[in-house]
Amino acid sequence: MIIKFFQSCSGFLLPGLLCLLLSCKKDSDNSSPTTNKLPVFTNPAASPVSDITASSARFAVTISANGGSAITARGVVWNTSTAPTVALSTKTSDSSGAGSFVAQLTGLSPNTLYFARPFASNANGTGYGKEFSFSTSGGNDGTVTDVDGNVYNTIAIGNQVWMKENLRTTRYRNSKPIPTAATKEEWENLSGPGYIMLKYPFSNGFTYDNSDSLFGAYYNWYAMVDSAGVCPLGWHVPRIHEIGELVGGASSASEKSSSLRAVTELWQGSNSSTNSSGFSAWPSSRIYGDGGFPGPFTFSMWGSGVLKDGDVVVGMYLDVNTAYSSYPGDKKQGISIRCIKD
């Protein structure tokens, strides 16, 4: 006896196998590529964190692709634990778009380990770059007082502590007076240690006035090297290698110069000063050996070094394009002093 199996399929009685064949269909295709991606970051070969102080740091970022959608927000987020997210308030806001930028992290605490990573947001969400850790310095920002009673603000930059203002003492730290000049001619005729100040705002270009100076005092080489000590106790005139550590080498490009310069319109030729390091270099320039003053467009600072080809090796020089840690000068020039902590 032959038994036939029947199955209902869409209201019709059909053999079971035929019904099975008729009811099969192709699955939907989900394999097509999608453009809904997050921004992509370029991982640097070395740490992107620099200019670390007790309360701030800089983080260099490069976004190599936007993920197929315009980047609407970007920056760096940080925390004292790993994997910080944009839900935190401790983040920067650095415009939008792909490319490179440098974020300034502020409001940090001294002697603290932080974890930071870049972020960028597009229509598809927020992507994060590689996380880096760093520790802030010891919080030596404060003040120091010279023998004349002048109080100077100080700043911790990396492992160094600097005055944020140019020295303006009229005496060595043992209270011995530093000779001064009241006129251009007196300055030109000095044959030993001396200092001079300029009155600001300038009258007829500039005037000598030892009672007031926006730029501090200008000291010649003889005053800088006097064994009586021109800096307060516990501080010294910076050595060339210490200036090199601050500058980042023998010379650095405009970004480093910008980070060291105070934000003021007196930096003629550029409004790019950020003072992100906190060093606050004013464009005090220098006074020539004959008493001439070229104008407040650059910054020069004495640093203790060796004689070079009959000239003196001067410390830092800044203009709106470059920062140098040493360059040749002469002993009679009046140049600013920024003391560094021992």
Side-chain angles (χ1 to χ4, degrees), residues 20 22 31-32 35 68 105 110 144 165 186 199-200 231 252 295 324:
L20 179 63
L22 290 175
S31 62
S32 60
T35 57
L105 284 57
V144 61
E165 305 167 54
E186 287 183 13
K199 175 75 173 179
Y200 183 87
C231 289
S252 297
Y324 295 94

Side-chain angles (χ1 to χ4, degrees), residues 44 158 167 184 192 196 265:
L167 190 69
K184 180 175 181 288
I196 199 168
E265 69 280 0

Side-chain angles (χ1 to χ4, degrees), residues 237-315:
V237 175
R239 303 171 182 91
I240 295 299
H241 76 271
E242 291 173 321
I243 298 174
E245 182 178 340
L246 175 68
V247 171
S251 65
S252 297
S254 57
E255 183 177 320
K256 173 60 73 171
S257 171
S258 174
S259 75
L260 294 167
R261 298 195 314 263
V263 180
T264 169
E265 69 280 0
L266 291 177
W267 282 107
Q268 296 190 15
S270 171
N271 61 358
S272 64
S273 301
T274 65
N275 197 32
S276 59
S277 69
F279 185 77
S280 305
W282 281 76
S284 51
S285 188
R286 50 182 161 165
I287 298 177
Y288 295 141
D290 64 1
F293 181 63
F297 314 128
T298 63
F299 172 79
S300 297
M301 179 179 77
W302 277 119
S304 57
V306 296
L307 295 178
K308 180 179 180 181
D309 299 328
D311 289 327
V312 178
V313 176
V314 179

Side-chain angles (χ1 to χ4, degrees), residues 79 93 114 116 140 149 168 188-190 196 210 213 216 249 276 286 306 322:
N79 199 10
S93 178
Y114 284 99
N140 285 307
R168 53 187 182 274
E188 185 176 9
N189 292 328
L190 279 174
I196 199 168
N210 289 336
S213 176
S276 59
R286 50 182 161 165
V306 296
T322 312

Side-chain angles (χ1 to χ4, degrees), residues 20 34 53 76 99 307:
L20 179 63
T34 177
T53 71
V76 171
L307 295 178

